Amino acid sequence: MEKKNRTGLAAAIVIAVLVVIAAGTAVFFMGRAFGSKPELRIAAGMKKMTEEMGQYGSSLSEQIDFGTINELRKTGTLHTDTDVSITVTDGETTNVEFSVDALTNVSQKKASCDIGIGMYGFQIPFADVAATQDMLYISLPELVKDTYRVDLTTLGEKFNNSEWARMLDTELPENYSIALFQEDDGKRESAAEELAAIISKPGEALKENAVLENIRDKKEGRSGVRMTVEKEVVNQYMEEFRDDLLASEFYQLYIDRLMSKAGDLEEGMRLKAMSDALLEDAMSMRLETDYVLDFYFDKQGRIVNISSPADMKTIDGDLLAVDIQFKGEERVLDVIEGGVYLKSGDEIEYLGIERNANVSETQYHESVKLILQSSDHADDLVYSYENDFNKEDMSFDLELYADLSDGKIRFTADGEFTDIVKGESYTLRVNNSSLELDDEELCYLSMVLELEPADEEPEIPDNYVDLLDMSAQEIQGMVYEALISIRKFNYE
């Protein structure tokens, strides 16, 4: 029953969200075409809501201009210098530090980086790594004199035929490979646009089928508009949405990434089948009654409540209800409470949202909590996010929290962005960050990340040894050389 309920709730959420989004799209297209008061009231309310959302725009994005930096990433060389210090507090306190100084040129499909490691403020050079689309080069200058190269395109085949496989008594999938610097060719942007089009597709159907009427009885002194969409329209939309999504470039890109992580083709196909089945389940709900939502407005014409006047029934006999309140004063979206309910027999599932936010010229605060509950509370889940962002000094103080059935996880961090040159460079400083499990601190860390354009290009080694072509004797010689170097460190 648990799996059925959670799947049903997912489907209920999909219907609720997509119909509300589609309704918003539809009323904008309706505009004055209908010329009747209910349509204009919803259109005006949706417009006000959109304007409020615009007020939460990120000052960080405006000052740094990540879009321009991403364009630089595509066309030139970027230099990133990252220093991280991690202190583990399990039993004895242990500090580990590492640094990565990297040059990356995506257009030329090459990168290089110097990696350092250390403890308690002392670091030594550990590795020099370089890469092209097909090759990886690794040098450990403090341990061995040679640089080693690995062909990533035939990694599985070459490893299995190497002395390494025999000495380690292990194998990789024969067709295993790694492709670096894969070209996007605008596919992600195109896929995102395609997804937006799929979601908004029912606009025309709603324009023809949605019935909008003023509600006679006021709710808590507020007037409203009722939107009714015939069940056949919603059910057909869910089927079309499922089919369009399965056939979309967006979904195909997701599947490609999923299968690229699989060990072999068989595992990849299994992952794809699981993903297809999850999508089918999420799109599985069909209504037996029409879909009805009430939109209530305050005196300023802002939407302050979206709710279903009565439970809506599915063909499986489940009952679906929606009740979301927008309770902020300056902006109604500052305070959001409510969610989606699904009743199946005696079981009730609920996905709720609680949001508190405020924004001024100098400060932005947001606290969001998602709650997944069942009537027996056996597997309740809570996810929360909280952030205070100072627009003047670009500092932040955030917390991510998850209360799961098998434990609690909390991540906190504070820091700031400095040395900002819009569209070119910035420095991110994380001064204090900690990770807790079941209210016990596992570790804390600090980090400094500097990003800037660079005139120099990544260097790819000319002299190297092919790691997977090494004989057993050569491997033993390399290990022996490394052991001697480690002993020298101990003596020093």
Side-chain angles (χ1 to χ4, degrees):
M1 177 65 80
E2 179 65 24
K3 185 181 180 208
K4 178 184 182 296
N5 283 352
R6 288 286 161 92
T7 300
L9 184 62
I13 294 164
V14 170
I15 289 180
V17 172
L18 292 180
V19 171
V20 170
I21 292 174
T25 305
V27 294
F28 276 116
F29 282 119
M30 288 175 187
R32 297 185 179 274
F34 276 82
S36 59
K37 192 174 180 180
E39 287 78 10
L40 294 178
R41 293 177 69 191
I42 292 186
M46 288 287 186
K47 183 178 179 182
K48 290 178 183 290
M49 190 170 284
T50 302
E51 290 171 351
E52 284 194 6
M53 291 175 66
Q55 295 180 37
Y56 300 114
S58 172
S59 174
L60 177 63
S61 298
E62 293 173 3
Q63 293 199 39
I64 293 182
D65 192 355
F66 291 106
T68 300
I69 291 178
N70 283 333
E71 289 302 314
L72 285 176
R73 192 186 306 275
K74 295 177 185 177
T75 57
T77 300
L78 279 185
H79 170 231
T80 56
D81 190 0
T82 307
D83 286 284
V84 179
S85 174
I86 302 174
T87 301
V88 180
T89 55
D90 183 17
E92 296 182 4
T93 300
T94 304
N95 173 262
V96 178
E97 299 176 2
F98 67 90
S99 64
V100 180
D101 193 348
L103 293 170
T104 306
N105 190 307
V106 175
S107 62
Q108 296 182 18
K109 296 181 177 59
K110 60 181 182 180
S112 62
C113 66
D114 301 328
I115 302 173
I117 60 172
M119 299 177 69
Y120 301 104
F122 175 74
Q123 281 198 27
I124 61 171
F126 175 69
D128 298 328
V129 179
T132 63
Q133 187 175 20
D134 303 327
M135 301 290 179
L136 183 68
Y137 303 81
I138 302 174
S139 173
L140 305 170
E142 299 296 322
L143 298 179
V144 292
K145 65 180 185 301
D146 290 324
T147 295
Y148 298 92
R149 187 183 76 168
V150 179
D151 187 338
L152 301 177
T153 59
T154 57
L155 185 55
E157 178 185 357
K158 293 204 69 173
F159 178 83
N160 293 340
N161 293 325
S162 71
E163 288 295 330
W164 291 98
R166 285 182 279 275
M167 293 178 69
L168 299 174
D169 191 25
T170 188
E171 286 189 355
L172 293 175
E174 195 69 16
N175 62 346
Y176 185 77
S177 65
I178 299 174
L180 303 177
F181 305 102
Q182 296 188 63
E183 293 186 18
D184 180 38
D185 294 330
K187 289 183 178 180
R188 291 184 182 177
E189 184 175 350
S190 173
E193 293 174 355
E194 180 188 29
L195 180 62
I198 291 173
I199 293 174
S200 62
K201 185 178 178 180
E204 283 300 316
L206 285 174
K207 183 176 179 181
E208 299 297 330
N209 294 279
V211 176
L212 300 174
E213 56 184 332
N214 287 321
I215 300 172
R216 292 184 180 182
D217 298 327
K218 291 187 176 182
K219 182 178 182 179
E220 298 179 356
R222 296 189 172 108
S223 62
V225 170
R226 177 163 297 169
M227 181 189 73
T228 303
V229 184
E230 293 180 353
K231 60 185 178 181
E232 292 82 5
V233 174
V234 176
N235 292 341
Q236 182 180 353
Y237 170 54
M238 292 297 289
E239 292 180 7
E240 291 180 355
F241 183 87
R242 175 201 61 202
D243 295 341
D244 290 345
L245 192 56
L246 283 170
S248 68
E249 184 179 19
F250 174 87
Y251 187 69
Q252 189 57 52
L253 284 174
Y254 165 75
I255 291 298
D256 288 345
R257 288 195 294 270
L258 187 67
M259 294 184 69
S260 68
K261 299 176 182 179
D264 52 34
L265 181 60
E266 183 179 352
E267 182 185 359
M269 295 304 295
R270 182 179 59 82
L271 291 174
K272 180 182 183 303
M274 288 176 59
S275 180
D276 291 348
L278 287 172
L279 181 58
E280 289 278 357
D281 286 342
M283 299 288 109
S284 62
M285 180 173 287
R286 299 293 179 265
L287 295 178
E288 186 176 298
T289 58
D290 292 340
Y291 192 91
V292 184
L293 282 182
D294 288 347
F295 295 77
Y296 285 93
F297 307 86
D298 64 6
K299 293 180 180 180
Q300 301 176 49
R302 303 179 301 180
I303 297 172
V304 293
N305 178 244
I306 300 175
S307 57
S308 50
D311 291 343
M312 293 169 277
K313 191 175 183 179
T314 74
I315 59 175
D316 293 328
D318 297 339
L319 299 176
L320 165 66
V322 178
D323 187 7
I324 302 174
Q325 300 184 63
F326 307 95
K327 305 170 67 174
E329 295 184 5
E330 184 176 353
R331 287 164 297 273
V332 295
L333 294 179
D334 282 353
V335 181
I336 302 175
E337 295 178 1
V340 180
Y341 302 79
L342 182 73
K343 183 177 182 181
S344 179
D346 294 330
E347 297 289 327
I348 298 176
E349 292 284 329
Y350 168 69
L351 177 66
I353 180 172
E354 297 176 6
R355 179 180 193 255
N356 284 277
N358 57 73
V359 60
S360 66
E361 292 183 358
T362 60
Q363 196 80 18
Y364 175 63
H365 168 78
E366 182 176 30
S367 175
V368 179
K369 182 184 292 185
L370 294 176
I371 306 164
L372 183 58
Q373 292 181 335
S374 56
S375 51
D376 61 7
H377 298 286
D379 295 294
D380 289 357
L381 306 176
V382 176
Y383 301 91
S384 68
Y385 162 79
E386 187 166 353
N387 186 26
D388 284 296
F389 184 76
N390 188 306
K391 297 181 179 181
E392 293 184 321
D393 62 15
M394 307 301 284
S395 64
F396 60 88
D397 189 348
L398 65 85
E399 176 186 278
L400 298 172
Y401 174 76
D403 188 349
L404 310 175
S405 58
D406 56 352
K408 302 175 183 178
I409 302 174
R410 188 190 308 273
F411 173 78
T412 60
D414 65 78
E416 64 274 335
F417 289 84
T418 62
D419 307 320
I420 298 172
V421 178
K422 186 174 181 178
E424 289 189 14
S425 61
Y426 63 87
T427 298
L428 167 60
R429 301 179 185 275
V430 178
N431 302 319
N432 297 286
S433 175
S434 69
L435 179 64
E436 296 179 6
L437 180 63
D438 292 333
D439 299 324
E440 291 188 12
E441 187 176 56
L442 297 181
C443 66
Y444 58 89
L445 66 85
S446 61
M447 179 185 76
V448 177
L449 184 152
E450 300 175 2
L451 181 147
E452 62 184 357
D455 295 328
E456 56 185 314
E457 299 296 332
E459 291 187 11
I460 305 301
D462 294 324
N463 300 313
Y464 49 82
V465 174
D466 277 305
L467 188 70
L468 300 182
D469 289 339
M470 295 174 67
S471 65
Q473 185 177 359
E474 289 171 329
I475 294 174
Q476 291 170 359
M478 180 188 71
V479 173
Y480 182 70
E481 182 183 357
L483 290 174
I484 291 177
S485 299
I486 293 173
R487 286 175 183 171
K488 287 182 179 179
F489 281 128
N490 291 335
Y491 291 140
E492 294 173 356

